[in-house]
């Protein structure tokens, strides 16, 4: 399988005249000029960095890029975090066109190999092996083994597996050296990653191996099963995908096998290859473990994928890498009453036989979506913030989701190898509530807004087949019954909150130091609700320090 990943940053250097060129990395930034090419080089100036809310890259790190993506690999370093050492992918973005002058949209954290559950590598060398001139870019990170001291993987898995069941010492020292190589090909969305362990001793070693993935924080986690979105302890995920809560940029981690044990918590995923579940870690002779002969070496490969919109853009890569025969599903989501397109709508694909989530599309500015699916029978359903969901009608079915037990309306679709299936979906029009918040001095102030559904429960309760977050912002907790939305208002004190048409009580709060404001409001597509809230300080905390 060939894979390549690139990460492209959109830094627009000021144009000196109408005919001046936009520059990137010292050469033309036109994506067309990168087709068929790939590069790897040491970053020497800030304009070569990617940028974004999770960006960590610095001068001296290494960037790999092609016409599709760009990624930054950290030089040898020691940082405080789940992945404490260098030599890892730390930033990733798609290649952005010259017409997009904004900062890059990196939202990815970092990924680091581990073995024996408690060991990783502390690279002392990170270098460019092939700069892309021969049609392939290779970066190599090498160094000795080191204890993964920030996060004790054994103690995390020990929540589920009693410590006495472990047959190995996670903190033992072994005569091992480790090299991880990153391969990027032209015009590819995937980076192939190969980690080689070299045994310099006279005894064979057997280890469970995998990767620790720091999601970057502001990501929704997706696993193709009956749950869909959310951090999970799960058996056998063929891949783990992530979608940015703000950017919409997607990533995927594709292990070497389709059966892997995964544990996720606090924004970090640990994946152990080849195990059906974490309890199998107690089996000493598992064929899934990596065997490193005395005086020899062994390696394992996986892929890191950068996608453009939705989970579907990275599952396209998964199907291609696994050589799965596919057809194309395309369509458009529109407002029922006006036929206006609905951008950023999620179209979830469920397997008809099991109701497991296969993938999730996200519509573009024109309300359109397109991607590949394995041949078979599916249901599709749409969810857009503020819009009521599809109503039952001709050509639809009502089903109960397996995890959240919500009833949703779906459209049956059949995909054939090489075929193209097109579906139009309509959703009722959305409403909104415009919120303005000031303090006792009439100055704008940030605050929390909680919107209570006066009907007594949501008409369309949140469901993990559509999204991890049940709120307007980036919280991951499921909303309590009767709460229609929770939003956090920025320092401007202004925000428009999309919500389904209805009558609500809006509460505005800012912790115990401030008064509580409430107002009942009705929101319709034609007449948005309006809330002008004033909250005042009721507890004098001058001279006090919170602790």
């Amino acid at each position: 399988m060939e894979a390549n990943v690139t990460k492209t940053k959109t830094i627009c250097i000021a144009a000196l005249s109408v005919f001046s060129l936009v520059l990137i990395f010292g050469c033309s930034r036109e994506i067309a000029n990168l087709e068929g090419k790939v590069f790897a080089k040491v970053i020497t100036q800030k304009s070569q960095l990617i940028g974004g809310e999770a960006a960590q890259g610095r001068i001296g790190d290494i960037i790999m890029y092609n016409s599709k993506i760009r990624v930054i690999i950290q030089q040898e370093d020691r940082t405080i975090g789940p992945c404490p050492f260098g030599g890892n992918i730390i930033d990733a973005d798609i290649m952005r066109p010259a017409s997009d002058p904004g900062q890059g949209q990196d939202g990815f954290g970092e990924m680091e190999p581990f073995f024996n559950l408690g060991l990783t590598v502390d690279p002392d060398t990170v270098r460019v092996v092939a700069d892309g001139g021969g049609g392939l870019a290779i970066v190599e990170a090498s160094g000795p083994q080191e204890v993964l001291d920030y996060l004790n993987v054994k103690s995390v898995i020990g929540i589920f597996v009693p410590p006495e069941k472990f047959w190995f010492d996670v903190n033992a020292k072994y005569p091992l050296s480790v090299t991880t190589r990153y391969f990027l090909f032209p015009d590819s969305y995937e980076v192939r990653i190969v980690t080689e362990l070299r045994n310099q001793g006279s005894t064979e070693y057997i280890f469970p191996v995998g990767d620790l993935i720091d999601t970057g924080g502001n990501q929704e986690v997706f696993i193709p099963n009956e749950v869909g979105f959310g951090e999970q302890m799960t058996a056998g995920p063929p891949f783990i995908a992530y979608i940015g809560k703000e950017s919409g940029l997607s990533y995927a981690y594709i292990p070497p096998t389709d059966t892997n044990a995964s544990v996720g918590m606090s924004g970090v995923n640990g994946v152990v290859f080849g195990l059906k579940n974490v309890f199998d870690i107690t089996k000493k002779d598992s064929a899934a473990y990596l065997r490193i002969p005395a005086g020899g070496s062994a390696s394992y490969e996986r892929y890191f994928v950068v996608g453009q919109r939705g989970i579907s853009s990275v599952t396209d890569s998964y199907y291609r890498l696994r050589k799965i025969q596919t057809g194309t599903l395309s369509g458009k989501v529109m407002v029922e009453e006006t036929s206006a397109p609905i951008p950023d709508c999620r179209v979830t694909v469920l397997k008809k036989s099991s109701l497991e989530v296969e993938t999730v599309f996200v519509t573009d500015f024109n309300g359109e979506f397109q991607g590949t699916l394995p041949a078979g029978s599916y249901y599709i359903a749409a969810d857009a913030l503020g819009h009521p969901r599809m109503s039952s009608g001709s050509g639809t079915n009502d089903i109960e989701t397996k995890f959240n037990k919500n009833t949703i309306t779906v459209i049956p679709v059949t995909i054939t190898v090489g075929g193209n299936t097109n579906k139009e979906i309509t959703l009722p029009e959305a409403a909104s509530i415009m919120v303005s918040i000031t303090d006792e001095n009439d100055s704008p102030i940030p605050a929390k807004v909680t919107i209570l559904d006066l009907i007594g429960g949501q008409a369309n309760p949140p469901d993990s087949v559509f999204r991890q977050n049940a709120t307007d912002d980036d919280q991951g907790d499921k909303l309590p019954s009767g709460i229609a939305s929770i939003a956090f208002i920025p320092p401007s004190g202004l925000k428009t909150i999309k919500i389904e048409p209805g009558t609500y009580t809006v509460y505005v709060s800012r912790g115990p130091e401030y008064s509580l404001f409430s107002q009942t409001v009705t929101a319709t597509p034609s007449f948005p609700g309006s809330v002008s809230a004033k909250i005042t300080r009721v507890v004098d905390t001058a001279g006090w320090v919170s602790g």
Side-chain angles (χ1 to χ4, degrees), residues 127-148:
R127 65 191 184 97
V128 175
V129 175
D131 65 5
L136 171 64
I138 305 174
V139 174
E140 179 180 276
S142 299
Q145 67 162 39
E146 188 52 85
V147 174
L148 186 57

Side-chain angles (χ1 to χ4, degrees), residues 120 128 179 235 527:
T120 185
V128 175
T179 296
F527 298 98

Side-chain angles (χ1 to χ4, degrees), residues 6-7 39-40 62-65 70-71 73 137-139 182 184:
T6 62
K7 171 180 200 181
F39 301 90
I62 295 175
I63 188 163
M64 307 176 77
Y65 62 99
R70 52 193 174 149
V71 298
I73 296 165
I138 305 174
V139 174
Y182 301 90
L184 183 61

Side-chain angles (χ1 to χ4, degrees), residues 26 79 100 138 153 177 199 237 239 257 280 369 378-379 407 421:
T79 58
D100 179 1
I138 305 174
V153 180
S177 60
N199 184 352
F239 64 88
T257 66
D280 283 351
F369 63 93
Y378 301 92
Y379 292 125
T407 299
T421 301

Side-chain angles (χ1 to χ4, degrees), residues 340-527:
I342 302 178
D344 297 319
C345 176
R346 298 198 175 180
V347 179
T348 292
V349 181
L350 304 164
K351 294 179 181 177
K352 189 173 183 179
S353 58
S354 64
L355 298 186
E356 291 185 341
V357 185
E358 177 71 20
T359 190
V360 180
F361 296 87
V362 177
T363 58
D364 61 17
F365 183 77
N366 296 314
E368 297 174 344
F369 63 93
Q370 179 173 307
T372 58
L373 287 170
S377 298
Y378 301 92
Y379 292 125
I380 60 172
D383 181 83
L385 291 176
H387 291 265
R389 294 200 188 120
M390 267 191 305
S391 303
S392 299
S394 176
T396 68
N397 299 89
D398 288 339
I399 64 167
E400 183 181 75
T401 59
K402 294 192 71 174
F403 184 69
N404 292 116
K405 306 298 183 185
N406 293 319
T407 299
I408 62 173
T409 300
V410 297
I411 299 173
V413 297
T414 299
I415 303 297
T416 58
V417 174
N420 192 332
T421 301
N422 186 274
K423 292 289 182 180
E424 288 189 349
I425 302 173
T426 58
L427 299 179
E429 198 165 358
S432 62
I433 297 175
M434 297 180 293
V435 179
S436 171
I437 305 172
T438 56
D439 62 13
E440 62 269 25
N441 300 314
D442 293 325
S443 298
I445 188 173
K448 176 182 179 181
V449 171
T450 303
I451 302 178
L452 178 65
D453 188 345
L454 290 186
I455 298 175
Q458 301 115 302
N460 293 304
D463 199 293
S464 61
V465 302
F466 295 114
R467 62 187 72 242
Q468 180 169 335
N469 304 320
T471 66
D472 182 64
D473 286 285
D474 60 359
Q475 307 76 246
D477 297 332
K478 184 178 179 180
L479 290 176
S481 178
I483 303 297
S485 183
I486 294 175
F488 290 93
I489 311 303
S492 66
L494 301 173
K495 185 160 189 172
T496 297
I497 302 168
K498 286 186 176 181
I499 199 158
E500 295 177 29
T503 300
Y504 303 92
T505 297
V506 178
Y507 293 91
V508 179
S509 61
R510 198 170 188 263
E513 298 176 32
Y514 284 80
S515 61
L516 178 68
F517 174 91
S518 66
Q519 177 184 331
T520 298
V521 63
T522 297
T524 69
S526 302
F527 298 98

